[in-house]
Amino acid sequence: MLGQNSYSKLNTVLTHVLIWSAFSLFFYRQLFFSDTYIPYQYWIKQTITLSLLVATFYFNSSVLFPRFLVKNHTALYILIIICIVLAIAFINRWVDNLLSSYQFNEAVLTMRGQSPALEPLRHRSPQKFPAGYRFKMGDLFILIISGLVVGVSTFITVIQKWQKDKQVREELEKDKVSSELSFLKAQINPHFFFNTLNNIYALTQVNADEAGKAVHQLSRMMRYLLYETQQGQTMLGQEIAFVKDYISLMQLRLTDVVKVVFDVPSHLMDMPMAPMMLLPFVENAFKHGVSATQKSHIYILVLQKGSVLDITVKNSVMKDKSISLDTNSGIGLLNTRRRLDLLYPGKYKLDICELTTGNEYTVHLMLDLS
């Protein structure tokens, strides 16, 4: 994050340098594209005008915009901007007249000493500073260019503020997602592990080997929850193994009337992914798709096409169990969709069919992990 911020700041500085370099090239264009003699007073005037515009640009973005426009003092902000633009035009006019007068006096003094040689200067000097014409056009030009500079300054500052606010919102969303992930773990830990331990205890009376296997699976799940999900990313293989252990332990309390199929390819390309992304779909299927007395089923299919993970979860719908996306199982499917929006924007497709012709609830997720 620190490197990204440094890169963003460097990019902003370089952008400003390029913009003002192009602007300076426009102001000093006669230095490069004119073969006629340009008095040095002209360069002084152009430098003063450019400096005023640069100062106005940054004064608006760093002081006026945050203190007035952001705080909804729009009328006062516009009034200040108008005053600044008029002040720039006034200063530009004053500097223009001052330097024109200075150059004229300098030319007169020079011609008094060398009148024959500098006679052409007598005719050239008034052409460089035609007071009436230059006064009107220069004044109009500076008003237009000052307004454009203020407008560009405000526009860029608005964009930067929007980007900064967006970044803050995303950081808050990420913090919220982390809290929801912790909440998901908390939801699983007490309820699921309590029931699983009871089932394992009962299993020890019947089949000690199966009970030992179940204890090993439970410890593996606990290790995954405690250590493997702390960094915000896990591996696909670990996530699949966690879901497989979850299904295996959930089956301890199911009867023969429930059919559970977990179809996973024997060879998956292991890739990093957000943890606990698949569990809400599976947990939802067990919560709403199984019955102790009626025939029911859960079918989970995992496919992989390159970097795209294709997951389908189907489960029967029990009449006494209503299904809602805003379920309290784990973080719920709605929160899972929000996690997908934030962590994989534009890289997933989630289709949920609440009731098919075969009385099934179907979830289909295609997730690009690249």
Side-chain angles (χ1 to χ4, degrees):
M1 182 62 67
L2 182 60
Q4 185 178 0
N5 289 337
S6 300
Y7 175 79
S8 178
K9 291 179 179 178
L10 178 62
N11 188 41
T12 301
V13 171
L14 291 177
T15 301
H16 282 243
V17 169
L18 289 175
I19 290 175
W20 286 117
S21 298
F23 207 71
S24 300
L25 183 63
F26 170 76
F27 258 71
Y28 298 108
R29 63 191 182 280
Q30 295 191 35
L31 178 64
F32 306 99
F33 305 111
S34 177
D35 296 330
T36 61
Y37 169 76
I38 306 295
Y40 70 88
Q41 289 88 347
Y42 173 81
W43 307 119
I44 294 176
K45 174 180 170 296
Q46 293 295 86
T47 301
I48 292 174
T49 303
L50 181 60
S51 300
L52 288 173
L53 293 177
V54 173
T56 300
F57 183 96
Y58 291 108
F59 181 69
N60 174 62
S61 63
S62 60
V63 178
L64 298 182
F65 181 86
R67 289 191 180 183
F68 296 99
L69 196 58
V70 172
K71 297 181 179 179
N72 295 323
H73 302 309
T74 308
L76 183 58
Y77 172 78
I78 294 175
L79 179 62
I80 295 175
I81 291 299
I82 293 175
C83 292
I84 290 177
V85 170
L86 292 176
I88 293 175
F90 175 79
I91 295 173
N92 180 75
R93 182 192 313 168
W94 178 76
V95 171
D96 191 12
N97 293 336
L98 179 65
L99 292 177
S100 297
S101 175
Y102 178 80
Q103 190 211 8
F104 179 77
N105 293 333
E106 183 184 60
V108 170
L109 292 174
T110 304
M111 285 188 293
R112 285 178 179 176
Q114 301 176 358
S115 55
L118 294 179
E119 183 63 23
L121 184 61
R122 188 196 305 273
H123 303 287
R124 182 176 61 188
S125 181
Q127 294 177 1
K128 291 300 174 182
F129 292 92
Y133 179 78
R134 186 175 181 81
F135 169 78
K136 294 179 182 179
M137 294 304 295
D139 194 46
L140 178 61
F141 172 78
I142 203 63
L143 285 173
I144 294 174
I145 203 70
S146 299
L148 287 175
V149 167
V150 171
V152 171
S153 173
T154 302
F155 176 77
I156 292 177
T157 308
V158 168
I159 295 298
Q160 290 177 338
K161 184 179 184 304
W162 177 79
Q163 291 176 337
K164 184 177 180 180
D165 291 345
K166 182 182 177 183
Q167 184 178 4
V168 170
R169 288 194 301 269
E170 288 180 352
E171 291 297 326
L172 291 175
E173 281 292 329
K174 287 181 180 180
D175 291 341
K176 187 176 181 181
V177 165
S178 299
S179 300
E180 289 172 345
L181 181 58
S182 300
F183 178 68
L184 172 58
K185 295 177 186 178
Q187 286 287 95
I188 293 174
N189 290 347
H191 181 72
F192 170 75
F193 287 122
F194 178 75
N195 288 338
T196 301
L197 286 173
N198 281 338
N199 292 330
I200 293 175
Y201 175 74
L203 192 61
T204 57
Q205 309 299 319
V206 181
N207 190 329
D209 292 336
E210 288 295 323
K213 181 180 177 182
V215 169
H216 178 68
Q217 289 176 327
L218 184 61
S219 65
R220 191 162 54 196
M221 291 182 68
M222 293 178 67
R223 187 180 304 110
Y224 178 81
L225 288 172
L226 291 174
Y227 303 113
E228 303 298 335
T229 62
Q230 298 300 317
Q231 303 302 320
Q233 272 199 334
T234 186
M235 299 303 293
L236 174 60
Q238 292 176 310
E239 184 78 356
I240 294 295
F242 177 81
V243 172
K244 187 178 294 185
D245 287 337
Y246 177 86
I247 293 172
S248 178
L249 293 178
M250 289 295 291
Q251 285 180 301
L252 292 177
R253 62 182 181 87
L254 301 180
T255 62
D256 293 337
V257 297
V258 181
K259 182 180 180 181
V260 179
V261 177
F262 187 38
D263 190 356
V264 184
S266 56
H267 298 287
L268 283 175
M269 181 173 62
D270 215 6
M271 302 182 69
M273 66 176 298
M276 312 294 282
M277 194 62 75
L278 309 182
L279 183 66
F281 306 123
V282 178
E283 186 185 15
N284 193 68
F286 275 99
K287 182 175 181 180
H288 299 286
V290 298
S291 172
T293 57
Q294 305 177 43
K295 284 189 176 182
S296 52
H297 64 274
I298 296 175
Y299 176 65
I300 304 168
L301 173 64
V302 178
L303 298 174
Q304 190 179 40
K305 302 171 185 176
S307 62
V308 178
L309 195 62
D310 191 329
I311 301 167
T312 302
V313 179
K314 296 182 180 179
N315 60 268
S316 51
V317 178
M318 300 292 100
K319 294 181 180 181
D320 59 336
K321 295 184 178 182
S322 61
I323 299 180
S324 171
L325 292 184
D326 196 16
T327 178
N328 193 32
S329 59
I331 59 175
L333 297 186
L334 282 179
N335 288 351
T336 301
R337 188 188 293 273
R338 188 162 67 250
R339 290 185 70 208
L340 286 167
D341 285 335
L342 183 62
L343 299 175
Y344 298 98
K347 301 178 69 174
Y348 82 94
K349 182 180 180 182
L350 178 61
D351 296 318
I352 298 177
C353 184
E354 297 194 24
L355 194 61
T356 64
T357 54
N359 200 33
E360 285 184 327
Y361 183 87
T362 305
V363 176
H364 182 215
L365 172 65
M366 295 188 68
L367 179 61
D368 188 355
L369 300 178
S370 61

